[in-house]
Coordinates of all heavy atoms in Angstrom, one line a residue:
R1 N 15.2 -66.5 -22.1 CA 14.1 -67.3 -22.8 C 15.0 -68.2 -23.9 O 15.9 -67.7 -24.5 CB 13.3 -66.2 -23.5 CG 12.1 -67.0 -24.4 CD 11.2 -66.0 -25.1 NE 10.4 -65.2 -24.1 CZ 9.2 -64.8 -24.2 NH1 8.6 -65.1 -25.3 NH2 8.5 -64.2 -23.3
D2 N 14.2 -69.3 -24.2 CA 14.9 -70.2 -25.3 C 13.7 -70.6 -26.1 O 12.7 -71.2 -25.5 CB 15.6 -71.4 -24.7 CG 16.3 -72.3 -25.7 OD1 15.8 -72.8 -26.5 OD2 17.7 -72.0 -25.5
V3 N 13.7 -70.5 -27.5 CA 12.7 -70.8 -28.3 C 13.2 -71.8 -29.3 O 14.2 -71.8 -29.8 CB 12.2 -69.6 -29.2 CG1 11.1 -70.0 -30.1 CG2 11.8 -68.4 -28.2
W4 N 12.4 -72.8 -29.7 CA 12.6 -73.8 -30.6 C 11.3 -74.3 -31.4 O 10.3 -74.1 -30.9 CB 13.3 -75.1 -30.0 CG 12.5 -75.8 -29.0 CD1 11.6 -76.9 -29.5 CD2 12.2 -75.6 -27.7 NE1 10.9 -77.3 -28.4 CE2 11.3 -76.6 -27.2 CE3 12.7 -74.7 -26.8 CZ2 10.8 -76.6 -26.0 CZ3 12.4 -74.7 -25.4 CH2 11.4 -75.6 -25.1
D5 N 11.5 -74.8 -32.6 CA 10.5 -75.4 -33.4 C 10.4 -76.9 -33.1 O 11.3 -77.7 -33.3 CB 10.9 -75.2 -35.0 CG 9.8 -75.5 -35.8 OD1 8.8 -76.3 -35.4 OD2 9.8 -75.1 -36.9
T6 N 9.2 -77.2 -32.7 CA 9.0 -78.6 -32.2 C 8.9 -79.6 -33.5 O 9.0 -80.8 -33.4 CB 7.6 -78.8 -31.6 OG1 6.6 -78.4 -32.4 CG2 7.6 -78.0 -30.3
A7 N 8.9 -79.1 -34.7 CA 9.2 -80.0 -35.9 C 10.6 -80.5 -36.0 O 10.9 -81.6 -36.4 CB 8.8 -79.2 -37.2
A8 N 11.5 -79.7 -35.4 CA 13.0 -80.1 -35.3 C 13.5 -80.6 -34.0 O 14.3 -81.5 -34.0 CB 13.8 -78.9 -35.8
E9 N 12.9 -80.2 -33.0 CA 13.3 -80.5 -31.6 C 12.0 -80.7 -30.8 O 11.3 -79.9 -30.6 CB 14.1 -79.4 -31.1 CG 14.8 -79.6 -29.7 CD 15.8 -78.6 -29.2 OE1 15.5 -77.4 -29.5 OE2 16.6 -79.0 -28.5
I10 N 11.9 -81.9 -30.4 CA 10.6 -82.3 -29.6 C 10.6 -81.4 -28.3 O 11.7 -81.1 -27.9 CB 10.3 -83.7 -29.5 CG1 11.5 -84.4 -28.7 CG2 10.1 -84.4 -30.8 CD1 11.2 -85.9 -28.5
P11 N 9.6 -81.3 -27.7 CA 9.5 -80.4 -26.4 C 10.5 -80.9 -25.4 O 11.3 -80.1 -24.8 CB 8.1 -80.5 -26.0 CG 7.4 -80.7 -27.2 CD 8.1 -81.6 -28.2
Q12 N 10.5 -82.2 -25.0 CA 11.4 -82.7 -24.0 C 12.8 -82.4 -24.3 O 13.6 -82.1 -23.4 CB 11.1 -84.2 -23.8 CG 9.8 -84.6 -23.3 CD 8.7 -84.6 -24.4 OE1 9.0 -84.3 -25.6 NE2 7.5 -84.8 -24.1
E13 N 13.2 -82.6 -25.6 CA 14.7 -82.2 -26.0 C 14.9 -80.7 -25.7 O 15.9 -80.4 -25.2 CB 14.8 -82.5 -27.4 CG 14.9 -83.9 -27.8 CD 14.9 -84.3 -29.2 OE1 14.4 -83.4 -29.9 OE2 15.3 -85.4 -29.6
G14 N 13.9 -79.9 -26.0 CA 14.1 -78.5 -25.8 C 14.1 -78.1 -24.4 O 14.9 -77.3 -23.9
Y15 N 13.3 -78.8 -23.6 CA 13.3 -78.5 -22.1 C 14.8 -78.8 -21.5 O 15.3 -78.0 -20.8 CB 12.4 -79.3 -21.3 CG 10.9 -79.3 -21.7 CD1 10.1 -80.3 -21.4 CD2 10.3 -78.1 -22.4 CE1 8.7 -80.2 -21.8 CE2 9.0 -78.1 -22.9 CZ 8.2 -79.1 -22.5 OH 6.9 -79.1 -22.9
F16 N 15.2 -80.0 -21.9 CA 16.5 -80.5 -21.3 C 17.6 -79.7 -21.8 O 18.5 -79.0 -21.0 CB 16.7 -81.9 -21.7 CG 17.8 -82.6 -21.1 CD1 17.9 -82.7 -19.7 CD2 18.8 -83.2 -21.7 CE1 18.9 -83.3 -18.8 CE2 19.9 -83.9 -20.9 CZ 19.8 -83.8 -19.6
R17 N 17.8 -79.3 -23.1 CA 18.9 -78.5 -23.6 C 18.7 -77.0 -23.1 O 19.7 -76.4 -22.5 CB 18.6 -78.4 -25.2 CG 19.8 -77.5 -25.7 CD 19.5 -77.3 -27.2 NE 18.2 -76.8 -27.6 CZ 17.7 -75.7 -27.2 NH1 18.4 -74.7 -26.6 NH2 16.3 -75.3 -27.6
A18 N 17.4 -76.5 -22.9 CA 17.5 -75.1 -22.4 C 17.7 -74.9 -21.0 O 18.4 -74.1 -20.7 CB 15.9 -74.6 -22.7
C19 N 17.5 -76.0 -20.2 CA 17.8 -75.9 -18.8 C 19.3 -76.1 -18.6 O 19.9 -75.4 -17.9 CB 17.0 -77.0 -18.0 SG 15.2 -76.6 -17.8
R20 N 19.9 -76.9 -19.4 CA 21.4 -77.1 -19.3 C 22.1 -75.9 -19.8 O 23.1 -75.5 -19.1 CB 21.8 -78.4 -20.2 CG 21.6 -79.7 -19.7 CD 22.3 -80.9 -20.4 NE 22.6 -80.5 -21.9 CZ 21.9 -81.2 -22.9 NH1 21.0 -82.1 -22.7 NH2 22.1 -80.7 -24.1
E21 N 21.6 -75.3 -20.7 CA 22.2 -74.1 -21.2 C 22.1 -72.9 -20.2 O 22.9 -72.1 -19.9 CB 21.7 -73.6 -22.6 CG 22.2 -74.4 -23.7 CD 21.6 -74.2 -25.0 OE1 20.8 -73.3 -25.2 OE2 21.8 -75.0 -26.0
F22 N 20.8 -72.8 -19.6 CA 20.7 -71.8 -18.5 C 21.6 -72.0 -17.3 O 22.2 -71.1 -16.8 CB 19.3 -72.0 -18.1 CG 18.7 -71.1 -16.9 CD1 18.4 -69.8 -17.2 CD2 18.6 -71.6 -15.6 CE1 17.9 -68.9 -16.2 CE2 18.2 -70.7 -14.6 CZ 17.9 -69.4 -14.9
N23 N 21.7 -73.3 -16.9 CA 22.7 -73.8 -16.0 C 24.1 -73.4 -16.2 O 25.0 -72.9 -15.3 CB 22.6 -75.3 -15.6 CG 21.4 -75.5 -14.9 OD1 20.7 -74.7 -14.3 ND2 21.1 -76.9 -14.8
D24 N 24.5 -73.6 -17.4 CA 25.9 -73.4 -17.9 C 26.4 -72.1 -18.1 O 27.6 -71.8 -18.2 CB 26.2 -74.3 -19.1 CG 26.2 -75.7 -19.0 OD1 26.2 -76.2 -17.8 OD2 26.1 -76.4 -20.0
D25 N 25.5 -71.0 -18.2 CA 25.8 -69.6 -18.5 C 25.3 -68.7 -17.5 O 24.1 -68.4 -17.4 CB 25.2 -69.4 -19.8 CG 25.6 -68.0 -20.4 OD1 26.2 -67.2 -19.6 OD2 25.3 -67.6 -21.6
V26 N 26.1 -68.3 -16.6 CA 25.8 -67.4 -15.6 C 25.1 -66.1 -16.0 O 24.1 -65.5 -15.4 CB 27.0 -67.0 -14.5 CG1 28.0 -66.1 -15.3 CG2 26.4 -66.5 -13.3
S27 N 25.4 -65.6 -17.2 CA 24.9 -64.4 -17.7 C 23.4 -64.7 -18.1 O 22.6 -63.8 -18.0 CB 25.6 -63.9 -19.0 OG 25.3 -64.8 -20.0
R28 N 23.0 -65.9 -18.5 CA 21.6 -66.3 -18.6 C 20.8 -66.4 -17.4 O 19.5 -66.3 -17.5 CB 21.5 -67.6 -19.5 CG 22.1 -67.4 -20.9 CD 21.7 -68.7 -21.7 NE 20.2 -68.7 -22.0 CZ 19.5 -69.6 -22.6 NH1 20.2 -70.7 -22.9 NH2 18.3 -69.6 -22.7
R29 N 21.5 -66.6 -16.3 CA 20.8 -66.7 -15.0 C 20.8 -65.4 -14.2 O 20.2 -65.3 -13.2 CB 21.5 -67.8 -14.2 CG 21.4 -69.3 -14.7 CD 21.7 -70.3 -13.7 NE 22.9 -69.9 -12.8 CZ 24.1 -70.2 -13.1 NH1 24.4 -70.9 -14.1 NH2 25.1 -69.9 -12.1
T30 N 21.4 -64.3 -14.8 CA 21.5 -63.0 -14.1 C 20.4 -62.1 -14.6 O 20.4 -61.8 -15.8 CB 22.9 -62.5 -14.3 OG1 23.8 -63.4 -13.7 CG2 22.9 -61.1 -13.5
C31 N 19.5 -61.6 -13.8 CA 18.5 -60.6 -14.3 C 19.1 -59.4 -14.9 O 19.9 -58.7 -14.2 CB 17.5 -60.3 -13.0 SG 16.2 -59.1 -13.5
P32 N 18.8 -59.0 -16.0 CA 19.2 -57.8 -16.6 C 18.8 -56.5 -16.1 O 19.4 -55.4 -16.3 CB 18.8 -57.9 -18.0 CG 17.7 -58.8 -18.1 CD 17.8 -59.7 -17.0
T33 N 17.7 -56.6 -15.2 CA 17.1 -55.4 -14.7 C 17.6 -55.2 -13.2 O 18.1 -54.1 -12.9 CB 15.6 -55.6 -14.5 OG1 15.1 -55.9 -15.8 CG2 15.0 -54.5 -13.9
C34 N 17.8 -56.2 -12.4 CA 18.2 -56.0 -11.1 C 19.5 -56.7 -10.5 O 19.9 -56.6 -9.5 CB 17.2 -56.5 -9.9 SG 16.8 -58.2 -9.9
D35 N 20.1 -57.4 -11.6 CA 21.3 -58.1 -11.4 C 21.4 -59.2 -10.5 O 22.5 -59.7 -10.1 CB 22.5 -57.1 -11.1 CG 22.8 -56.3 -12.2 OD1 22.8 -56.7 -13.3 OD2 23.4 -54.9 -12.0
T36 N 20.2 -59.8 -10.1 CA 20.1 -60.9 -9.3 C 20.5 -62.1 -10.0 O 20.1 -62.4 -11.1 CB 18.7 -61.2 -8.8 OG1 18.3 -60.0 -8.0 CG2 18.5 -62.3 -7.8
E37 N 21.4 -62.9 -9.5 CA 21.9 -64.2 -10.1 C 21.0 -65.3 -9.6 O 20.9 -65.6 -8.4 CB 23.4 -64.4 -9.7 CG 23.8 -65.7 -10.4 CD 25.3 -66.0 -10.1 OE1 26.1 -65.0 -10.0 OE2 25.6 -67.2 -10.1
H38 N 20.4 -66.1 -10.5 CA 19.5 -67.1 -10.1 C 20.4 -68.5 -10.1 O 21.3 -68.7 -10.8 CB 18.3 -67.3 -11.0 CG 17.5 -66.0 -11.0 ND1 16.4 -65.8 -10.1 CD2 17.7 -64.8 -11.6 CE1 15.9 -64.6 -10.2 NE2 16.5 -63.9 -11.0
A39 N 19.9 -69.3 -9.2 CA 20.6 -70.6 -9.0 C 20.3 -71.5 -10.2 O 19.4 -71.4 -10.9 CB 20.1 -71.2 -7.8
P40 N 21.3 -72.4 -10.5 CA 21.1 -73.4 -11.5 C 20.1 -74.3 -11.1 O 19.6 -74.5 -9.9 CB 22.4 -74.2 -11.6 CG 23.5 -73.3 -10.9 CD 22.6 -72.5 -9.9
I41 N 19.4 -75.0 -12.1 CA 18.2 -75.8 -12.0 C 18.8 -77.3 -11.7 O 19.7 -77.8 -12.4 CB 17.4 -75.8 -13.2 CG1 16.8 -74.5 -13.5 CG2 16.3 -76.9 -13.1 CD1 16.4 -74.3 -14.9

């Protein structure tokens, strides 16, 4: 999960940044419950 304040970061900036960070970090794409690694977006 990625949370931001829209007063500082508009939604589209948040979507793009959060997806890039999700893609760049395999630990963020790996389920903590079942260890399934999800593909980058």
Side-chain angles (χ1 to χ4, degrees):
R1 180 181 294 214
D2 193 289
V3 181
W4 65 92
D5 186 343
T6 60
E9 185 176 30
I10 62 176
Q12 296 81 358
E13 291 168 337
Y15 305 156
F16 192 56
R17 179 191 47 73
C19 288
R20 281 193 331 250
E21 290 174 1
F22 181 80
N23 285 352
D24 292 344
D25 185 351
V26 71
S27 68
R28 291 193 67 188
R29 296 194 323 265
T30 303
C31 179
T33 303
C34 70
D35 289 329
T36 299
E37 183 181 323
H38 297 271
I41 298 162

